[in-house]
Amino acid sequence: QVQLVESGGGLVQPGGSLRLSCAASGSRLAINRMGWYRQAPGNQRELVAAIISSGRSNYADSVKGRFTISRDGAKNTAFLQMNSLKPEDTAVYYCNAANLLGREYWGQGTQVTVSS
């Protein structure tokens, strides 16, 4: 059973930074893609950033230039460095991983709150 364990959420003031981590374990197949999604109250879950095994990444327009996704492939761990945080970044952030067959797994979510 694949498990995704997230950490790093919390409360931060506008303009501050947070770093989220997600560690995947238990997969018999290689993890090809890892990403972060977020869901604010009343909103649909949306993609924040994703990275594939080649290192190519993509970002939501709203976070480009502020967030950076990276990955330690050997450890199946992904990181999301979030800088210049805004109140509108407040949401539950979910880690997502997909194996080579496209099967997806989700973490339990971590709360990020940006408020003064």
Side-chain angles (χ1 to χ4, degrees), residues 8 11 15 24 31 48-49 52-53 56 61 63 72 92 109 111 114 116:
L11 172 64
I31 298 295
V48 176
I52 60 176
S53 55
R56 191 172 72 178
D61 287 343
V63 306
D72 182 339
V92 178
Q111 177 70 45
V114 185
S116 56

Side-chain angles (χ1 to χ4, degrees), residues 2-4 6 37 45 94-97 104-108:
V2 175
Q3 288 188 325
L4 302 181
E6 302 147 334
Y37 289 70
R45 191 173 296 188
Y94 295 91
C95 179
N96 172 274
E104 295 189 58
Y105 303 90
W106 292 90
Q108 78 283 0

Side-chain angles (χ1 to χ4, degrees), residues 58-75:
N58 62 291
Y59 298 88
D61 287 343
S62 59
V63 306
K64 284 180 180 177
R66 300 188 298 122
F67 291 11
T68 302
I69 189 170
S70 59
R71 180 178 173 183
D72 182 339
K75 297 181 180 179

Side-chain angles (χ1 to χ4, degrees), residues 10-96:
L11 172 64
V12 65
Q13 291 186 343
S17 298
L18 283 175
R19 187 177 190 237
L20 305 182
S21 299
C22 173
S25 62
S27 178
R28 294 184 177 182
L29 296 177
I31 298 295
N32 180 52
R33 178 182 182 273
M34 297 188 75
W36 291 93
Y37 289 70
R38 66 186 181 187
Q39 187 168 19
N43 291 354
Q44 291 187 334
R45 191 173 296 188
E46 62 175 1
L47 174 69
V48 176
I51 186 167
I52 60 176
S53 55
S54 67
R56 191 172 72 178
S57 58
N58 62 291
Y59 298 88
D61 287 343
S62 59
V63 306
K64 284 180 180 177
R66 300 188 298 122
F67 291 11
T68 302
I69 189 170
S70 59
R71 180 178 173 183
D72 182 339
K75 297 181 180 179
N76 279 336
T77 302
F79 306 95
L80 185 67
Q81 179 66 42
M82 304 186 293
N83 299 328
S84 301
L85 282 161
K86 305 175 181 180
E88 50 264 44
D89 294 318
T90 296
V92 178
Y93 284 68
Y94 295 91
C95 179
N96 172 274

